[in-house]
Amino acid sequence: MTKYTQGHPSSQVGLYVHVPFCVQRCTYCDFNTYTGLLSLEDEYVAAIVQEARLRAERAISARARTLYFGGGTPSLLALEDLESLVEAVRREFRLPWGAEVTLEANPGTLSPSYLDGLREAGVTRLSLGVQSSHSAELLLLGRIHTWRDAVGSYEAARSAGFDNISLDLMYGLPGQTLEQWQETVCRCLDLRPDHLSLYALTLEPGTPLAETLAMGDVPAPDPDLSADMYEAASELLHGACFWQYEISNWARGSSPAPEIWALPPGGETEAISPAVSAHNLIYWRNEPWVGLGAGAHSWFRGRRWSNLPHPQAYISAIWDGHLHGYSDTPLLQTTLDGELMMMGLRLAEGVSDARFHEASGHHLHELYGHVIDRFAEYDLLEWNGERVRLTRRGRLLGNLVFQEFLLPEE
Amino acid sequence: MEPSHIRNFSIIAHIDHGKSTLADRLLELTGTVELRKFTGHSQLLDTMDLEQEKGVTIKASAVQMNWTAPDGGTYELNLIDTPGHVDFGYEVSRALAACEGAVLVVDATQGIEAQTLANLYMALENDLEIIPVINKIDLVTADVPRVMREIRDLLGVPESDIIAVSAKDGTNVAAVLEAVVARVPPPSATQVDAPLQALVFDSHYDSYKGVIAYVRVYQGRVSRDTELLMMATRAKTEPVEVGVFRPEMVPIAGLSAGEVGYIATGFKSVREARVGDTVTDAKRPATEALAGYQPAKPMVFASLYPSESDDYENLRDALSKLQLNDAALTYEPESSQALQFGFRCGFLGLFHMEIAQERLEREYLQDLVVTAPSVAYQVLLTDGAEVEIHRPADLPDPALISEVREPWMKVQVITPTEYMGALMEIFRRKRASLMLTETLDPQRVLLTFETPLAEMVIDLHDRIKSATRGFASMDYAFLEYRVDDLVKVDVLVNQEPVDALAIIVHRDQTYDKGSALIRKMKEAIPRQLFEVPIQAAVGGKIVARVNVKALRKDVLAKCYGGDVTRKRKLLEKQKAGKKRMKQLGSVMIPQEAFLAILRIDED
């Protein structure tokens, strides 16, 4: 019998706002972003405020736990626009004071006065797209800033009073050596950030970087070297009091982690430190979220939908009252179960049987006992009867594990 | 028809020298087929789908034409087609045995090629009158005087006996018919009263009339009322119909000594009316069969597996249907730990294998995994018993073997002299001996090699074509079985021998072939969760080893809310791809890895 999921019972959502504008597109980027459309800013912001109002009307009880401005380049928004967006979310979704409000920012776009304004608007957390400390790498990636800009922005943010700053870095770049990577990591650790996201370069088909590589002008990254870089960074971060809580994310703890890829205290990621991204944790635990803006996705009460991707099309749709741009589909329970595992196993806390049972109605061992046993044999998963999580080795081979919880494509 | 007014002949030619076009012109000239029936490139003698992409639906390889010669006499001309593929040498010899003459067609732009010679020798062995014809004289690149000289020297005939034609525009084609009447002898020894003796020189399966046997009657007479006995297979039947091809099947009262036509036998499989068998009257049988019958004997073997193991029964069904029309195809069920359930199939040669495989895929829509081909080995055991093995994995323990024999072939290659060196090098690596070098003209030589069939089945034809940029032509024929120092190389994947990957090689080649094979395997096998050793072993002793390194990192770097659906689909696709691989113990092997043997000589 076909069984559709009811979704997570909570009405507490993570609220995401997509800002699709960029000054220049990065060479590896395949996100829903646009250059030269900043003239739409006012209309776009007004449309999001309207969307917030309409969605709140329909999902009467939804309350925002977190707010996240992603992009694109949210730091291109004028301060008053940001203020009105935060204000709209507070009003419509009752975002509490003191809740985590993250803004993705590009180094080089942040002046001290802008940073002060962000603080006043209620932004509590900055995620800086630093990517690299080497100019050749930044050039290859098509970034508009320099390492010096990154350090300047970081220090200005600290001066403005930001006490929760995350840096994004990339490894596995064409031509990048292990030493260059370690140098970037060490330089960033010297800044004493609260949080780090380390992303292996993913070559998305059709991006300029993928095409450059296909032409053979630039050497393709070696996956084994990428593995070495990951492990080397893990060691460095472990030594600097960082806890790895997700495949690509680390938060600085008050005390060192007992080991690399340790189970968080009490099995709860939040216990590591306030620097853990509360918003992203919602995704990995497959709890509900609502996305506002062009191309934003939502997952609420068992349904998943996404808005029209182009900003102009999105704006028109909102003013016409069309809230469901694309793919408003119910989700099969079996699909959701697989997704719970695919997302949850990304966390060092793994998937607890209690949380799984709450979302699925089944116990882990009923659905996946044999899969878990097999991967335990390969030292990819560990299972203590209460909780399943990737092993240290398994966190590099997650795809092989995640697949087994999904159904093959028909 | 009076036997003196019957002419039975065939046309022999190298591929593309214009055999079919000439046949079309003859049918047209004799009024057998109206001009308008020739549409586009359709050539009436090639009727199998693969040869002609579904042009004509009946297979008419023996067409009767009636022609009034310039002398005023009316003649019955039977044009008997010969299979174009070198693997069907035996079938060609039976078709030629049904004739008294052969038109030898040579392309005026190419000259004599390897198949021209092979067919010519076979025609001469059957004592046929040869009518040499130079075709394509309309082309600007034609060199008629040179080709005239080649043919003159080859056949020892005056140039005035050689007819120069353009089958394409019809120039001088009538002269060919005149020569057939004038030079090809009428059928001899044509006692109509003697017991029936008719040679089956071809057959096909018809879903309404059963097997249609193409016959040449040597003595006696056959009609619909004759109860028939196949002298080799001992099968009996009452014919459904007797007739001739014009070119469609036309029933007639009967066929008498000297005549060519068909018998609709009602048999359900071509295996009951085999090429080379003699048809006689069951009530009044001939005392002996016509000479030269040999049951088709497969010499090249490969395993066919369905890509999805659920399709096993469909494949069995398709093979049984294919066999109705292909007496030479054999198959038996086999299982392999890696490929699960499939069939070990026997073929006359590589071309036969390719045709069968293509027909299975195109006509029967089978999605196949085909293992690398191997040959039939004869093994003499120490206890004196002799066994024939059709797959390398079956070679017994060396301690039990007294000797191993493998089939050798005679290969003839005609090549421009500039490529001789490259060809010699190819054949040297194939354990071949050069037996003879003959100069055809200042630019071209005929090389005769002897080489093991096992060396040919891999990639000989492709290598010759690429080394000579397509200018060389090749023909081959079975020579004999020869004893050699042959050993089995086992391939072990993660310490487990994989039956489908074993090969038999000469002892001197064990290291080279074994290590080349496992290197190619390594390229084809994706990295796994653990290091996978691939070893080549002879008699339990490892001769070469490579490792497929363990996969270290395969994980999506980013997965946030908006990515969930897309990333899930990505992983689902990856999983579906894995499902198509074959699992051997805990190692996943893609189907291509089973063909690594085909590429071991690439480096």
Side-chain angles (χ1 to χ4, degrees):
Chain A
M1 198 182 74
T2 307
K3 189 184 162 211
Y4 292 101
T5 177
Q6 300 302 302
H8 199 279
S10 171
S11 54
Q12 300 266 321
V13 302
L15 216 124
Y16 176 83
V17 174
H18 190 66
V19 182
F21 310 118
C22 283
V23 173
Q24 176 182 312
R25 253 187 135 208
C26 302
T27 56
Y28 54 89
C29 177
D30 74 335
F31 300 154
N32 184 34
T33 62
Y34 304 84
T35 56
L37 279 191
L38 208 49
S39 56
L40 285 179
E41 179 176 343
D42 291 347
E43 273 183 83
Y44 184 73
V45 169
I48 293 181
V49 171
Q50 171 72 355
E51 187 191 1
R53 200 170 61 74
L54 296 173
R55 294 220 181 273
E57 276 173 11
R58 281 161 178 73
I60 296 172
S61 59
R63 288 164 168 267
R65 294 157 63 192
T66 58
L67 174 58
Y68 193 104
F69 290 95
T73 315
S75 52
L76 288 178
L77 289 181
L79 279 175
E80 54 272 29
D81 285 333
L82 256 172
E83 277 164 18
S84 59
L85 289 171
V86 175
E87 173 53 33
V89 173
R90 285 203 200 287
R91 187 173 62 239
E92 307 295 350
F93 291 92
R94 284 164 287 174
L95 178 75
W97 291 99
E100 179 186 282
V101 178
T102 306
L103 181 104
E104 287 181 353
N106 277 357
T109 60
L110 300 171
S111 65
S113 63
Y114 189 81
L115 288 161
D116 289 339
L118 291 179
R119 294 273 295 152
E120 278 168 35
V123 175
T124 64
R125 183 171 180 270
L126 281 183
S127 171
L128 288 178
V130 173
Q131 316 310 357
S132 168
S133 70
H134 298 283
S135 40
E137 290 168 10
L138 290 168
L139 198 68
L140 180 74
L141 297 172
R143 303 294 299 199
I144 55 173
H145 68 271
T146 62
W147 168 243
R148 188 190 296 253
D149 291 335
V151 174
S153 294
Y154 177 85
E155 282 167 353
R158 284 291 191 220
S159 304
F162 279 99
D163 58 2
N164 193 348
I165 303 180
S166 176
L167 308 181
D168 282 3
L169 299 178
M170 290 176 78
Y171 64 96
L173 306 178
Q176 186 183 35
T177 63
L178 181 60
E179 291 68 30
Q180 282 164 352
W181 166 240
Q182 286 168 314
E183 194 173 20
T184 290
V185 173
C186 290
R187 283 173 177 172
C188 287
L189 287 176
D190 286 346
L191 297 174
R192 294 190 52 79
D194 307 283
H195 186 279
L196 281 162
S197 298
L198 312 184
Y199 297 117
L201 172 67
T202 307
L203 288 167
E204 299 290 352
T207 56
L209 187 58
E211 274 162 24
T212 308
L213 259 85
M215 303 272 286
D217 300 343
V218 177
D222 169 9
D224 285 355
L225 178 57
S226 185
D228 288 339
M229 290 179 176
Y230 185 71
E231 290 292 9
S234 294
E235 305 267 351
L236 289 170
L237 268 59
H238 177 64
C241 213
F242 278 83
W243 290 60
Q244 182 175 10
Y245 68 96
E246 195 260 358
I247 282 169
S248 303
N249 285 281
W250 283 258
R252 199 173 62 208
S254 46
S255 58
E259 58 187 338
I260 287 174
W261 192 248
L263 181 68
E268 293 295 319
T269 302
E270 296 89 331
I272 293 170
S273 101
V276 164
S277 168
H279 182 82
N280 289 336
L281 209 50
I282 290 172
Y283 296 138
W284 294 315
R285 288 179 180 160
N286 241 311
E287 290 165 0
W289 68 84
V290 169
L292 305 177
H297 293 247
S298 300
W299 161 235
F300 186 66
R301 304 253 161 96
R303 297 189 85 77
R304 194 169 278 146
W305 68 84
S306 66
N307 291 341
L308 292 176
H310 195 277
Q312 188 68 68
Y314 161 77
I315 292 167
S316 309
I318 291 302
W319 291 112
D320 289 344
H322 296 312
L323 279 184
H324 294 159
Y326 274 135
S327 58
D328 180 3
T329 47
L331 208 57
L332 290 174
Q333 186 63 46
T334 47
T335 306
L336 178 69
D337 291 343
E339 288 183 357
L340 286 169
M341 300 307 292
M342 174 182 102
M343 299 300 280
L345 286 174
R346 297 185 66 87
L347 293 168
E349 68 175 32
V351 178
S352 80
D353 190 50
R355 273 213 176 92
F356 186 83
H357 187 263
E358 188 185 7
S360 159
H362 291 96
H363 288 285
L364 284 171
H365 65 87
E366 290 173 54
L367 297 183
Y368 304 124
H370 58 291
V371 179
I372 293 172
D373 288 347
R374 184 150 55 88
F375 282 120
E377 255 172 64
Y378 289 136
D379 183 32
L380 296 179
L381 283 179
E382 56 187 51
W383 164 244
N384 64 4
E386 289 280 303
R387 171 189 308 277
V388 60
R389 64 183 212 111
L390 290 173
T391 59
R392 179 176 172 181
R393 163 173 142 92
R395 83 201 200 286
L396 279 83
L397 294 164
N399 286 359
L400 303 184
V401 178
F402 306 153
Q403 275 171 39
E404 295 308 311
F405 294 93
L406 301 171
L407 302 168
E409 187 188 53
E410 289 305 322
Chain B
M1 181 69 69
E2 261 304 296
S4 64
H5 280 65
I6 297 174
R7 298 291 181 273
N8 297 319
F9 73 105
S10 52
I11 304 176
I12 53 182
H14 191 74
I15 188 162
D16 289 338
H17 280 198
K19 178 173 93 169
S20 301
T21 315
L22 180 60
D24 285 354
R25 283 297 91 76
L26 298 182
L27 294 176
E28 193 184 296
L29 206 61
T30 55
T32 313
V33 171
E34 288 167 54
L35 190 58
R36 63 183 161 79
K37 287 201 179 165
F38 290 100
T39 51
H41 68 286
S42 98
Q43 289 165 338
L44 285 170
L45 290 185
D46 293 341
T47 54
M48 294 259 287
D49 286 357
L50 287 170
E51 291 172 34
Q52 212 205 335
E53 297 286 346
K54 309 197 180 184
V56 183
T57 49
I58 55 156
K59 178 175 171 182
S61 70
V63 184
Q64 190 181 89
M65 305 178 282
N66 290 307
W67 190 59
T68 306
D71 65 11
T74 297
Y75 291 84
E76 176 185 309
L77 308 181
N78 292 306
L79 170 53
I80 293 169
D81 193 24
T82 54
H85 282 302
V86 60
D87 288 338
F88 301 100
Y90 173 69
E91 283 74 1
V92 175
S93 82
R94 292 305 85 198
L96 293 178
C99 303
E100 278 80 32
V103 173
L104 173 72
V105 179
V106 181
D107 187 320
T109 68
Q110 307 281 329
I112 290 166
E113 299 282 5
Q115 260 179 286
T116 325
L117 289 179
N119 287 322
L120 174 65
Y121 294 145
M122 217 181 271
L124 292 173
E125 276 167 28
N126 282 289
D127 291 327
L128 303 194
E129 176 67 29
I130 308 294
I131 298 173
V133 168
I134 298 181
N135 188 23
K136 304 195 190 178
I137 59 169
D138 56 308
L139 296 182
V140 289
T141 48
D143 187 351
V144 179
R146 173 179 74 88
V147 178
M148 277 276 182
R149 281 195 302 276
E150 273 186 14
I151 296 175
R152 182 198 64 198
D153 294 348
L154 181 70
L155 294 174
V157 296
E159 291 187 11
S160 57
D161 279 4
I162 303 170
I163 308 170
V165 308
S166 164
K168 195 173 141 207
D169 64 24
T171 304
N172 221 13
V173 171
V176 176
L177 286 177
E178 286 168 32
V180 167
V181 168
R183 294 194 227 163
V184 174
S188 56
T190 51
Q191 299 161 272
V192 179
D193 301 331
L196 174 65
Q197 263 187 336
L199 172 72
V200 179
F201 61 86
D202 200 353
S203 65
H204 81 266
Y205 179 77
D206 179 290
S207 42
Y208 298 104
K209 296 174 184 168
V211 172
I212 310 294
Y214 296 52
V215 295
R216 155 74 191 267
V217 183
Y218 279 86
Q219 61 177 37
R221 182 177 162 81
V222 59
S223 71
R224 216 188 126 172
D225 307 323
T226 319
E227 193 187 332
L228 301 179
L229 169 69
M230 308 305 296
M231 296 185 76
T233 63
R234 308 309 296 175
K236 283 187 183 176
T237 188
E238 285 179 12
V240 178
E241 191 177 296
V242 172
V244 292
F245 296 101
R246 275 184 194 145
E248 63 280 356
M249 287 161 70
V250 178
I252 59 169
L255 293 167
S256 297
E259 292 187 308
V260 170
Y262 70 85
I263 302 171
T265 60
F267 286 134
K268 290 296 167 215
S269 157
V270 289
R271 307 172 79 75
E272 291 170 294
R274 288 174 176 271
V275 170
D277 203 347
T278 302
V279 186
T280 192
D281 184 337
K283 293 194 176 127
R284 189 184 162 220
T287 46
E288 51 186 60
L290 295 162
Y293 173 72
Q294 294 168 16
K297 196 174 163 334
M299 223 156 357
V300 172
F301 290 83
S303 300
L304 270 48
Y305 285 84
S307 283
E308 304 283 342
S309 46
D310 303 347
D311 290 334
Y312 174 79
E313 287 301 330
N314 289 336
L315 178 56
R316 178 201 293 278
D317 210 39
L319 280 166
S320 73
K321 283 186 187 142
L322 190 60
Q323 206 183 41
L324 289 180
N325 223 346
D326 187 344
L329 172 73
T330 63
Y331 66 92
E332 57 186 42
E334 81 167 2
S335 61
S336 129
Q337 78 267 52
L339 295 164
Q340 294 169 356
F341 296 99
F343 297 92
R344 189 69 179 171
C345 299
F347 308 93
L348 293 174
L350 267 193
F351 287 112
H352 183 212
M353 179 174 103
E354 276 173 30
I355 292 168
Q357 184 188 333
E358 214 174 318
R359 290 190 65 192
L360 285 169
E361 286 174 345
R362 289 176 47 163
E363 294 171 34
Y364 299 98
L365 303 175
Q366 299 294 305
D367 196 4
L368 298 175
V369 180
V370 183
T371 64
S374 162
V375 303
Y377 293 91
Q378 293 176 347
V379 183
L380 183 64
L381 301 174
T382 45
D383 65 3
E386 194 175 310
V387 291
E388 186 173 281
I389 63 152
H390 295 162
R391 57 184 156 190
D394 292 343
L395 193 71
D397 186 298
L400 303 174
I401 294 178
S402 164
E403 64 181 41
V404 183
R405 297 189 288 262
E406 63 175 335
W408 277 65
M409 310 296 281
K410 176 177 160 184
V411 184
Q412 293 200 302
V413 184
I414 292 181
T415 179
T417 45
E418 58 192 295
Y419 302 117
M420 256 181 84
L423 281 175
M424 306 280 273
E425 177 56 22
I426 290 171
F427 276 92
R428 190 187 62 75
R429 292 174 62 166
K430 300 277 181 192
R431 292 193 284 142
S433 317
L434 176 64
M435 307 308 289
L436 200 60
T437 308
E438 293 162 87
T439 306
L440 293 179
D441 60 46
Q443 282 84 42
R444 299 199 310 160
V445 286
L446 165 62
L447 306 174
T448 305
F449 295 95
E450 290 178 6
T451 189
L453 178 59
E455 298 285 345
M456 291 184 61
V457 296
I458 300 303
D459 57 356
L460 183 65
H461 194 248
D462 291 345
R463 293 180 82 77
I464 289 177
K465 284 288 169 202
S466 75
T468 65
R469 299 163 64 201
F471 282 113
S473 62
M474 174 175 91
D475 194 272
Y476 54 84
F478 173 67
L479 203 56
E480 61 186 348
Y481 269 85
R482 289 185 189 167
V483 176
D484 214 331
D485 190 4
L486 300 171
V487 294
K488 176 172 64 167
V489 177
D490 285 306
V491 173
L492 291 80
V493 173
N494 205 28
Q495 320 295 346
E496 292 286 326
V498 185
D499 50 11
L501 292 171
I503 53 174
I504 291 176
V505 301
H506 192 274
R507 189 177 300 277
D508 295 345
Q509 299 173 309
T510 46
Y511 175 74
D512 288 347
K513 296 257 178 185
S515 54
L517 175 58
I518 60 176
R519 275 201 311 276
K520 291 292 169 190
M521 293 280 300
K522 180 184 170 182
E523 289 170 17
I525 297 180
R527 294 169 68 174
Q528 320 263 323
L529 279 174
F530 41 86
E531 185 171 83
V532 178
I534 306 176
Q535 294 157 306
V538 176
K541 188 171 159 281
I542 305 298
V543 295
R545 171 187 173 125
V546 292
N547 293 323
V548 177
K549 283 195 290 176
L551 178 65
R552 287 193 52 202
K553 188 163 181 287
D554 180 12
V555 65
L556 295 166
K558 283 190 182 188
C559 198
Y560 295 96
D563 304 323
V564 180
T565 308
R566 192 165 69 93
K567 298 287 164 76
R568 167 170 53 76
K569 287 184 174 161
L570 199 74
L571 292 172
E572 284 169 351
K573 206 167 163 181
Q574 203 177 338
K575 181 171 184 175
K578 216 152 73 180
K579 212 181 141 209
R580 283 193 295 274
M581 292 196 206
K582 300 291 179 183
Q583 181 145 14
L584 189 75
S586 46
V587 182
M588 305 294 284
I589 303 186
Q591 296 173 350
E592 308 86 79
F594 293 96
L595 293 175
I597 180 75
L598 296 178
R599 296 182 288 119
I600 66 173
D601 288 335
E602 275 175 8
D603 305 325

